[in-house]
PDB file of all heavy atoms in Angstrom:
ATOM      1  N   ILE A   8       8.011 -52.075 -26.522  1.00  0.00           N
ATOM      2  CA  ILE A   8       6.871 -52.895 -26.060  1.00  0.00           C
ATOM      3  C   ILE A   8       6.983 -53.075 -24.527  1.00  0.00           C
ATOM      4  O   ILE A   8       5.958 -52.911 -23.834  1.00  0.00           O
ATOM      5  CB  ILE A   8       6.882 -54.230 -26.812  1.00  0.00           C
ATOM      6  CG1 ILE A   8       6.544 -54.006 -28.286  1.00  0.00           C
ATOM      7  CG2 ILE A   8       5.831 -55.191 -26.165  1.00  0.00           C
ATOM      8  CD1 ILE A   8       6.681 -55.227 -29.173  1.00  0.00           C
ATOM      9  N   LYS A   9       8.151 -53.428 -24.068  1.00  0.00           N
ATOM     10  CA  LYS A   9       8.347 -53.572 -22.607  1.00  0.00           C
ATOM     11  C   LYS A   9       8.030 -52.360 -21.857  1.00  0.00           C
ATOM     12  O   LYS A   9       7.478 -52.362 -20.768  1.00  0.00           O
ATOM     13  CB  LYS A   9       9.754 -54.101 -22.380  1.00  0.00           C
ATOM     14  CG  LYS A   9      10.009 -55.535 -22.779  1.00  0.00           C
ATOM     15  CD  LYS A   9      11.458 -55.934 -22.682  1.00  0.00           C
ATOM     16  CE  LYS A   9      11.671 -57.379 -23.080  1.00  0.00           C
ATOM     17  NZ  LYS A   9      13.063 -57.742 -22.971  1.00  0.00           N
ATOM     18  N   GLN A  10       8.522 -51.203 -22.420  1.00  0.00           N
ATOM     19  CA  GLN A  10       8.269 -49.896 -21.834  1.00  0.00           C
ATOM     20  C   GLN A  10       6.791 -49.663 -21.659  1.00  0.00           C
ATOM     21  O   GLN A  10       6.342 -49.216 -20.604  1.00  0.00           O
ATOM     22  CB  GLN A  10       8.884 -48.817 -22.706  1.00  0.00           C
ATOM     23  CG  GLN A  10       9.139 -47.505 -22.001  1.00  0.00           C
ATOM     24  CD  GLN A  10      10.369 -47.563 -21.075  1.00  0.00           C
ATOM     25  OE1 GLN A  10      11.464 -47.911 -21.500  1.00  0.00           O
ATOM     26  NE2 GLN A  10      10.204 -47.134 -19.834  1.00  0.00           N
ATOM     27  N   ALA A  11       6.020 -49.945 -22.684  1.00  0.00           N
ATOM     28  CA  ALA A  11       4.559 -49.745 -22.704  1.00  0.00           C
ATOM     29  C   ALA A  11       3.826 -50.647 -21.767  1.00  0.00           C
ATOM     30  O   ALA A  11       2.938 -50.190 -21.099  1.00  0.00           O
ATOM     31  CB  ALA A  11       4.008 -49.896 -24.165  1.00  0.00           C
ATOM     32  N   VAL A  12       4.233 -51.884 -21.734  1.00  0.00           N
ATOM     33  CA  VAL A  12       3.502 -52.886 -20.941  1.00  0.00           C
ATOM     34  C   VAL A  12       3.957 -53.012 -19.508  1.00  0.00           C
ATOM     35  O   VAL A  12       3.131 -53.194 -18.588  1.00  0.00           O
ATOM     36  CB  VAL A  12       3.607 -54.274 -21.645  1.00  0.00           C
ATOM     37  CG1 VAL A  12       2.934 -55.362 -20.870  1.00  0.00           C
ATOM     38  CG2 VAL A  12       2.989 -54.176 -23.069  1.00  0.00           C
ATOM     39  N   VAL A  13       5.309 -52.946 -19.266  1.00  0.00           N
ATOM     40  CA  VAL A  13       5.836 -53.128 -17.968  1.00  0.00           C
ATOM     41  C   VAL A  13       6.285 -51.787 -17.374  1.00  0.00           C
ATOM     42  O   VAL A  13       6.341 -51.617 -16.163  1.00  0.00           O
ATOM     43  CB  VAL A  13       7.029 -54.148 -17.965  1.00  0.00           C
ATOM     44  CG1 VAL A  13       7.488 -54.444 -16.618  1.00  0.00           C
ATOM     45  CG2 VAL A  13       6.606 -55.409 -18.695  1.00  0.00           C
ATOM     46  N   GLY A  14       6.623 -50.806 -18.265  1.00  0.00           N
ATOM     47  CA  GLY A  14       7.132 -49.561 -17.760  1.00  0.00           C
ATOM     48  C   GLY A  14       8.588 -49.632 -17.569  1.00  0.00           C
ATOM     49  O   GLY A  14       9.203 -48.701 -16.951  1.00  0.00           O
ATOM     50  N   TYR A  15       9.260 -50.694 -18.090  1.00  0.00           N
ATOM     51  CA  TYR A  15      10.673 -50.916 -17.891  1.00  0.00           C
ATOM     52  C   TYR A  15      11.190 -51.616 -19.083  1.00  0.00           C
ATOM     53  O   TYR A  15      10.723 -52.720 -19.397  1.00  0.00           O
ATOM     54  CB  TYR A  15      10.832 -51.691 -16.611  1.00  0.00           C
ATOM     55  CG  TYR A  15      12.253 -52.131 -16.345  1.00  0.00           C
ATOM     56  CD1 TYR A  15      13.277 -51.272 -16.180  1.00  0.00           C
ATOM     57  CD2 TYR A  15      12.549 -53.475 -16.226  1.00  0.00           C
ATOM     58  CE1 TYR A  15      14.600 -51.674 -15.971  1.00  0.00           C
ATOM     59  CE2 TYR A  15      13.850 -53.936 -15.855  1.00  0.00           C
ATOM     60  CZ  TYR A  15      14.866 -53.043 -15.790  1.00  0.00           C
ATOM     61  OH  TYR A  15      16.122 -53.491 -15.573  1.00  0.00           O
ATOM     62  N   GLY A  16      12.142 -50.977 -19.840  1.00  0.00           N
ATOM     63  CA  GLY A  16      12.601 -51.523 -21.093  1.00  0.00           C
ATOM     64  C   GLY A  16      13.391 -52.820 -21.026  1.00  0.00           C
ATOM     65  O   GLY A  16      13.594 -53.461 -22.021  1.00  0.00           O
ATOM     66  N   LYS A  17      13.888 -53.142 -19.878  1.00  0.00           N
ATOM     67  CA  LYS A  17      14.745 -54.340 -19.796  1.00  0.00           C
ATOM     68  C   LYS A  17      14.024 -55.491 -19.039  1.00  0.00           C
ATOM     69  O   LYS A  17      14.729 -56.391 -18.500  1.00  0.00           O
ATOM     70  CB  LYS A  17      16.085 -53.976 -19.096  1.00  0.00           C
ATOM     71  CG  LYS A  17      16.922 -53.007 -19.945  1.00  0.00           C
ATOM     72  CD  LYS A  17      18.349 -53.077 -19.532  1.00  0.00           C
ATOM     73  CE  LYS A  17      19.292 -52.464 -20.556  1.00  0.00           C
ATOM     74  NZ  LYS A  17      18.783 -51.182 -21.168  1.00  0.00           N
ATOM     75  N   ALA A  18      12.741 -55.410 -18.998  1.00  0.00           N
ATOM     76  CA  ALA A  18      11.969 -56.504 -18.332  1.00  0.00           C
ATOM     77  C   ALA A  18      12.202 -57.870 -18.917  1.00  0.00           C
ATOM     78  O   ALA A  18      12.447 -58.006 -20.115  1.00  0.00           O
ATOM     79  CB  ALA A  18      10.496 -56.153 -18.347  1.00  0.00           C
ATOM     80  N   GLU A  19      12.131 -58.885 -18.073  1.00  0.00           N
ATOM     81  CA  GLU A  19      12.232 -60.278 -18.569  1.00  0.00           C
ATOM     82  C   GLU A  19      10.891 -60.667 -19.196  1.00  0.00           C
ATOM     83  O   GLU A  19       9.831 -60.120 -18.857  1.00  0.00           O
ATOM     84  CB  GLU A  19      12.453 -61.228 -17.340  1.00  0.00           C
ATOM     85  CG  GLU A  19      13.761 -61.004 -16.566  1.00  0.00           C
ATOM     86  CD  GLU A  19      14.983 -61.265 -17.415  1.00  0.00           C
ATOM     87  OE1 GLU A  19      14.920 -62.218 -18.190  1.00  0.00           O
ATOM     88  OE2 GLU A  19      15.954 -60.531 -17.316  1.00  0.00           O
ATOM     89  N   LYS A  20      10.986 -61.710 -20.063  1.00  0.00           N
ATOM     90  CA  LYS A  20       9.782 -62.197 -20.748  1.00  0.00           C
ATOM     91  C   LYS A  20       8.701 -62.596 -19.778  1.00  0.00           C
ATOM     92  O   LYS A  20       7.477 -62.393 -20.013  1.00  0.00           O
ATOM     93  CB  LYS A  20      10.104 -63.374 -21.660  1.00  0.00           C
ATOM     94  CG  LYS A  20      10.607 -62.952 -23.018  1.00  0.00           C
ATOM     95  CD  LYS A  20      10.728 -64.196 -23.952  1.00  0.00           C
ATOM     96  CE  LYS A  20      11.199 -63.799 -25.379  1.00  0.00           C
ATOM     97  NZ  LYS A  20      10.254 -62.989 -26.087  1.00  0.00           N
ATOM     98  N   GLU A  21       9.075 -63.169 -18.682  1.00  0.00           N
ATOM     99  CA  GLU A  21       8.126 -63.605 -17.681  1.00  0.00           C
ATOM    100  C   GLU A  21       7.333 -62.447 -17.053  1.00  0.00           C
ATOM    101  O   GLU A  21       6.127 -62.543 -16.793  1.00  0.00           O
ATOM    102  CB  GLU A  21       8.872 -64.420 -16.572  1.00  0.00           C
ATOM    103  CG  GLU A  21       7.981 -65.248 -15.623  1.00  0.00           C
ATOM    104  CD  GLU A  21       7.026 -66.174 -16.366  1.00  0.00           C
ATOM    105  OE1 GLU A  21       7.479 -66.938 -17.214  1.00  0.00           O
ATOM    106  OE2 GLU A  21       5.816 -66.054 -16.083  1.00  0.00           O
ATOM    107  N   GLN A  22       8.063 -61.335 -16.813  1.00  0.00           N
ATOM    108  CA  GLN A  22       7.397 -60.076 -16.310  1.00  0.00           C
ATOM    109  C   GLN A  22       6.408 -59.572 -17.341  1.00  0.00           C
ATOM    110  O   GLN A  22       5.324 -59.103 -16.943  1.00  0.00           O
ATOM    111  CB  GLN A  22       8.471 -58.999 -16.061  1.00  0.00           C
ATOM    112  CG  GLN A  22       9.229 -59.156 -14.733  1.00  0.00           C
ATOM    113  CD  GLN A  22      10.337 -58.058 -14.662  1.00  0.00           C
ATOM    114  OE1 GLN A  22      11.320 -58.072 -15.399  1.00  0.00           O
ATOM    115  NE2 GLN A  22      10.107 -57.098 -13.794  1.00  0.00           N
ATOM    116  N   VAL A  23       6.857 -59.622 -18.598  1.00  0.00           N
ATOM    117  CA  VAL A  23       5.970 -59.139 -19.696  1.00  0.00           C
ATOM    118  C   VAL A  23       4.684 -59.966 -19.650  1.00  0.00           C
ATOM    119  O   VAL A  23       3.589 -59.421 -19.717  1.00  0.00           O
ATOM    120  CB  VAL A  23       6.663 -59.220 -21.067  1.00  0.00           C
ATOM    121  CG1 VAL A  23       5.711 -58.877 -22.181  1.00  0.00           C
ATOM    122  CG2 VAL A  23       7.900 -58.284 -21.090  1.00  0.00           C
ATOM    123  N   ARG A  24       4.836 -61.281 -19.569  1.00  0.00           N
ATOM    124  CA  ARG A  24       3.634 -62.147 -19.564  1.00  0.00           C
ATOM    125  C   ARG A  24       2.724 -61.832 -18.421  1.00  0.00           C
ATOM    126  O   ARG A  24       1.512 -61.703 -18.559  1.00  0.00           O
ATOM    127  CB  ARG A  24       4.038 -63.627 -19.492  1.00  0.00           C
ATOM    128  CG  ARG A  24       2.846 -64.529 -19.271  1.00  0.00           C
ATOM    129  CD  ARG A  24       3.009 -65.931 -19.682  1.00  0.00           C
ATOM    130  NE  ARG A  24       4.117 -66.597 -19.061  1.00  0.00           N
ATOM    131  CZ  ARG A  24       4.592 -67.786 -19.422  1.00  0.00           C
ATOM    132  NH1 ARG A  24       4.114 -68.399 -20.410  1.00  0.00           N
ATOM    133  NH2 ARG A  24       5.617 -68.282 -18.773  1.00  0.00           N
ATOM    134  N   LYS A  25       3.296 -61.635 -17.231  1.00  0.00           N
ATOM    135  CA  LYS A  25       2.464 -61.297 -16.042  1.00  0.00           C
ATOM    136  C   LYS A  25       1.728 -59.973 -16.248  1.00  0.00           C
ATOM    137  O   LYS A  25       0.554 -59.853 -15.928  1.00  0.00           O
ATOM    138  CB  LYS A  25       3.360 -61.251 -14.782  1.00  0.00           C
ATOM    139  CG  LYS A  25       3.794 -62.549 -14.250  1.00  0.00           C
ATOM    140  CD  LYS A  25       4.155 -62.484 -12.749  1.00  0.00           C
ATOM    141  CE  LYS A  25       4.617 -63.857 -12.206  1.00  0.00           C
ATOM    142  NZ  LYS A  25       6.022 -64.095 -12.484  1.00  0.00           N
ATOM    143  N   MET A  26       2.394 -58.988 -16.769  1.00  0.00           N
ATOM    144  CA  MET A  26       1.801 -57.683 -16.991  1.00  0.00           C
ATOM    145  C   MET A  26       0.709 -57.731 -18.032  1.00  0.00           C
ATOM    146  O   MET A  26      -0.296 -57.066 -17.989  1.00  0.00           O
ATOM    147  CB  MET A  26       2.838 -56.618 -17.339  1.00  0.00           C
ATOM    148  CG  MET A  26       3.685 -56.207 -16.148  1.00  0.00           C
ATOM    149  SD  MET A  26       2.749 -55.648 -14.674  1.00  0.00           S
ATOM    150  CE  MET A  26       2.108 -54.058 -15.270  1.00  0.00           C
ATOM    151  N   VAL A  27       0.921 -58.543 -19.073  1.00  0.00           N
ATOM    152  CA  VAL A  27      -0.064 -58.733 -20.164  1.00  0.00           C
ATOM    153  C   VAL A  27      -1.328 -59.287 -19.540  1.00  0.00           C
ATOM    154  O   VAL A  27      -2.452 -58.888 -19.772  1.00  0.00           O
ATOM    155  CB  VAL A  27       0.470 -59.656 -21.321  1.00  0.00           C
ATOM    156  CG1 VAL A  27      -0.689 -60.145 -22.177  1.00  0.00           C
ATOM    157  CG2 VAL A  27       1.476 -58.861 -22.147  1.00  0.00           C
ATOM    158  N   GLU A  28      -1.187 -60.352 -18.709  1.00  0.00           N
ATOM    159  CA  GLU A  28      -2.319 -60.966 -18.044  1.00  0.00           C
ATOM    160  C   GLU A  28      -3.035 -59.971 -17.165  1.00  0.00           C
ATOM    161  O   GLU A  28      -4.262 -60.011 -17.051  1.00  0.00           O
ATOM    162  CB  GLU A  28      -1.829 -62.196 -17.284  1.00  0.00           C
ATOM    163  CG  GLU A  28      -1.402 -63.341 -18.207  1.00  0.00           C
ATOM    164  CD  GLU A  28      -0.769 -64.543 -17.479  1.00  0.00           C
ATOM    165  OE1 GLU A  28      -0.387 -64.380 -16.302  1.00  0.00           O
ATOM    166  OE2 GLU A  28      -0.665 -65.608 -18.084  1.00  0.00           O
ATOM    167  N   LEU A  29      -2.267 -59.126 -16.528  1.00  0.00           N
ATOM    168  CA  LEU A  29      -2.805 -58.073 -15.607  1.00  0.00           C
ATOM    169  C   LEU A  29      -3.559 -57.039 -16.435  1.00  0.00           C
ATOM    170  O   LEU A  29      -4.769 -56.753 -16.071  1.00  0.00           O
ATOM    171  CB  LEU A  29      -1.652 -57.480 -14.831  1.00  0.00           C
ATOM    172  CG  LEU A  29      -1.939 -56.976 -13.416  1.00  0.00           C
ATOM    173  CD1 LEU A  29      -2.336 -58.116 -12.533  1.00  0.00           C
ATOM    174  CD2 LEU A  29      -0.641 -56.240 -12.883  1.00  0.00           C
ATOM    175  N   HIS A  30      -2.942 -56.519 -17.422  1.00  0.00           N
ATOM    176  CA  HIS A  30      -3.598 -55.488 -18.307  1.00  0.00           C
ATOM    177  C   HIS A  30      -4.926 -55.975 -18.885  1.00  0.00           C
ATOM    178  O   HIS A  30      -5.885 -55.236 -19.006  1.00  0.00           O
ATOM    179  CB  HIS A  30      -2.746 -55.150 -19.510  1.00  0.00           C
ATOM    180  CG  HIS A  30      -1.664 -54.083 -19.215  1.00  0.00           C
ATOM    181  ND1 HIS A  30      -1.944 -52.793 -19.003  1.00  0.00           N
ATOM    182  CD2 HIS A  30      -0.310 -54.234 -19.149  1.00  0.00           C
ATOM    183  CE1 HIS A  30      -0.819 -52.110 -18.771  1.00  0.00           C
ATOM    184  NE2 HIS A  30       0.188 -52.970 -18.850  1.00  0.00           N
ATOM    185  N   LEU A  31      -4.941 -57.250 -19.304  1.00  0.00           N
ATOM    186  CA  LEU A  31      -6.025 -57.800 -20.046  1.00  0.00           C
ATOM    187  C   LEU A  31      -6.983 -58.579 -19.214  1.00  0.00           C
ATOM    188  O   LEU A  31      -7.916 -59.182 -19.709  1.00  0.00           O
ATOM    189  CB  LEU A  31      -5.579 -58.580 -21.231  1.00  0.00           C
ATOM    190  CG  LEU A  31      -4.682 -57.811 -22.236  1.00  0.00           C
ATOM    191  CD1 LEU A  31      -4.239 -58.772 -23.384  1.00  0.00           C
ATOM    192  CD2 LEU A  31      -5.435 -56.632 -22.813  1.00  0.00           C
ATOM    193  N   ASN A  32      -6.717 -58.638 -17.868  1.00  0.00           N
ATOM    194  CA  ASN A  32      -7.588 -59.395 -17.011  1.00  0.00           C
ATOM    195  C   ASN A  32      -7.713 -60.841 -17.362  1.00  0.00           C
ATOM    196  O   ASN A  32      -8.827 -61.432 -17.326  1.00  0.00           O
ATOM    197  CB  ASN A  32      -9.008 -58.749 -17.022  1.00  0.00           C
ATOM    198  CG  ASN A  32      -9.358 -58.214 -15.661  1.00  0.00           C
ATOM    199  OD1 ASN A  32      -8.971 -58.804 -14.633  1.00  0.00           O
ATOM    200  ND2 ASN A  32     -10.073 -57.071 -15.627  1.00  0.00           N
ATOM    201  N   ILE A  33      -6.586 -61.452 -17.757  1.00  0.00           N
ATOM    202  CA  ILE A  33      -6.654 -62.889 -18.168  1.00  0.00           C
ATOM    203  C   ILE A  33      -6.417 -63.721 -16.928  1.00  0.00           C
ATOM    204  O   ILE A  33      -5.427 -63.416 -16.168  1.00  0.00           O
ATOM    205  CB  ILE A  33      -5.613 -63.145 -19.286  1.00  0.00           C
ATOM    206  CG1 ILE A  33      -5.917 -62.373 -20.542  1.00  0.00           C
ATOM    207  CG2 ILE A  33      -5.514 -64.626 -19.607  1.00  0.00           C
ATOM    208  CD1 ILE A  33      -4.846 -62.405 -21.610  1.00  0.00           C
ATOM    209  N   GLU A  34      -7.201 -64.718 -16.786  1.00  0.00           N
ATOM    210  CA  GLU A  34      -7.062 -65.630 -15.584  1.00  0.00           C
ATOM    211  C   GLU A  34      -5.656 -66.152 -15.549  1.00  0.00           C
ATOM    212  O   GLU A  34      -5.101 -66.665 -16.491  1.00  0.00           O
ATOM    213  CB  GLU A  34      -8.038 -66.744 -15.669  1.00  0.00           C
ATOM    214  CG  GLU A  34      -9.419 -66.363 -15.313  1.00  0.00           C
ATOM    215  CD  GLU A  34      -9.539 -65.595 -13.973  1.00  0.00           C
ATOM    216  OE1 GLU A  34      -9.071 -66.200 -12.945  1.00  0.00           O
ATOM    217  OE2 GLU A  34     -10.078 -64.449 -13.908  1.00  0.00           O
ATOM    218  N   MET A  35      -5.030 -66.055 -14.326  1.00  0.00           N
ATOM    219  CA  MET A  35      -3.667 -66.480 -14.154  1.00  0.00           C
ATOM    220  C   MET A  35      -3.488 -67.983 -14.318  1.00  0.00           C
ATOM    221  O   MET A  35      -2.384 -68.455 -14.573  1.00  0.00           O
ATOM    222  CB  MET A  35      -3.157 -66.052 -12.714  1.00  0.00           C
ATOM    223  CG  MET A  35      -3.066 -64.596 -12.533  1.00  0.00           C
ATOM    224  SD  MET A  35      -2.083 -63.776 -13.815  1.00  0.00           S
ATOM    225  CE  MET A  35      -2.430 -62.036 -13.492  1.00  0.00           C
ATOM    226  N   GLY A  36      -4.561 -68.769 -14.217  1.00  0.00           N
ATOM    227  CA  GLY A  36      -4.455 -70.188 -14.415  1.00  0.00           C
ATOM    228  C   GLY A  36      -4.042 -70.595 -15.778  1.00  0.00           C
ATOM    229  O   GLY A  36      -3.439 -71.611 -15.999  1.00  0.00           O
ATOM    230  N   THR A  37      -4.397 -69.726 -16.737  1.00  0.00           N
ATOM    231  CA  THR A  37      -4.216 -70.074 -18.195  1.00  0.00           C
ATOM    232  C   THR A  37      -2.866 -69.513 -18.680  1.00  0.00           C
ATOM    233  O   THR A  37      -2.873 -68.629 -19.523  1.00  0.00           O
ATOM    234  CB  THR A  37      -5.279 -69.481 -19.054  1.00  0.00           C
ATOM    235  OG1 THR A  37      -5.214 -68.051 -18.911  1.00  0.00           O
ATOM    236  CG2 THR A  37      -6.658 -69.967 -18.624  1.00  0.00           C
ATOM    237  N   LYS A  38      -1.803 -69.976 -18.173  1.00  0.00           N
ATOM    238  CA  LYS A  38      -0.422 -69.465 -18.530  1.00  0.00           C
ATOM    239  C   LYS A  38      -0.297 -69.301 -20.020  1.00  0.00           C
ATOM    240  O   LYS A  38      -0.324 -70.327 -20.740  1.00  0.00           O
ATOM    241  CB  LYS A  38       0.675 -70.291 -17.974  1.00  0.00           C
ATOM    242  CG  LYS A  38       1.557 -69.503 -17.063  1.00  0.00           C
ATOM    243  CD  LYS A  38       2.830 -70.255 -16.667  1.00  0.00           C
ATOM    244  CE  LYS A  38       3.745 -69.350 -15.939  1.00  0.00           C
ATOM    245  NZ  LYS A  38       5.099 -69.878 -15.746  1.00  0.00           N
ATOM    246  N   LEU A  39      -0.236 -68.115 -20.541  1.00  0.00           N
ATOM    247  CA  LEU A  39      -0.103 -67.895 -21.987  1.00  0.00           C
ATOM    248  C   LEU A  39       1.210 -68.372 -22.532  1.00  0.00           C
ATOM    249  O   LEU A  39       2.263 -68.133 -21.900  1.00  0.00           O
ATOM    250  CB  LEU A  39      -0.249 -66.414 -22.307  1.00  0.00           C
ATOM    251  CG  LEU A  39      -1.625 -65.727 -21.996  1.00  0.00           C
ATOM    252  CD1 LEU A  39      -1.416 -64.223 -22.130  1.00  0.00           C
ATOM    253  CD2 LEU A  39      -2.655 -66.224 -23.028  1.00  0.00           C
ATOM    254  N   PRO A  40       1.194 -68.961 -23.724  1.00  0.00           N
ATOM    255  CA  PRO A  40       2.494 -69.308 -24.320  1.00  0.00           C
ATOM    256  C   PRO A  40       3.259 -67.953 -24.579  1.00  0.00           C
ATOM    257  O   PRO A  40       2.593 -66.933 -24.878  1.00  0.00           O
ATOM    258  CB  PRO A  40       2.140 -69.954 -25.661  1.00  0.00           C
ATOM    259  CG  PRO A  40       0.666 -70.283 -25.552  1.00  0.00           C
ATOM    260  CD  PRO A  40       0.084 -69.387 -24.515  1.00  0.00           C
ATOM    261  N   MET A  41       4.576 -67.958 -24.565  1.00  0.00           N
ATOM    262  CA  MET A  41       5.411 -66.743 -24.779  1.00  0.00           C
ATOM    263  C   MET A  41       5.068 -66.077 -26.075  1.00  0.00           C
ATOM    264  O   MET A  41       5.011 -64.841 -26.087  1.00  0.00           O
ATOM    265  CB  MET A  41       6.888 -67.086 -24.672  1.00  0.00           C
ATOM    266  CG  MET A  41       7.391 -67.313 -23.253  1.00  0.00           C
ATOM    267  SD  MET A  41       7.138 -65.907 -22.170  1.00  0.00           S
ATOM    268  CE  MET A  41       7.949 -66.533 -20.721  1.00  0.00           C
TER     269      MET A  41
END
């Protein structure tokens, strides 16, 4: 999952969240629950 979303298999959860928001164009103000 990390490889697909971040391009790096050892990414931190916080990096994953940022990349998910980026991929899906989700407003950064609405911090998604983990």
Side-chain angles (χ1 to χ4, degrees):
I8 293 171
K9 288 171 179 181
Q10 200 75 53
V12 176
V13 186
Y15 173 59
K17 294 203 166 38
E19 298 293 324
K20 275 190 179 294
E21 195 52 54
Q22 279 175 290
V23 173
R24 171 158 58 191
K25 285 201 180 85
M26 286 307 287
V27 163
E28 289 173 344
L29 213 62
H30 275 292
L31 301 179
N32 243 325
I33 296 171
E34 283 309 305
M35 295 304 170
T37 62
K38 240 190 171 191
L39 293 168
M41 284 300 183

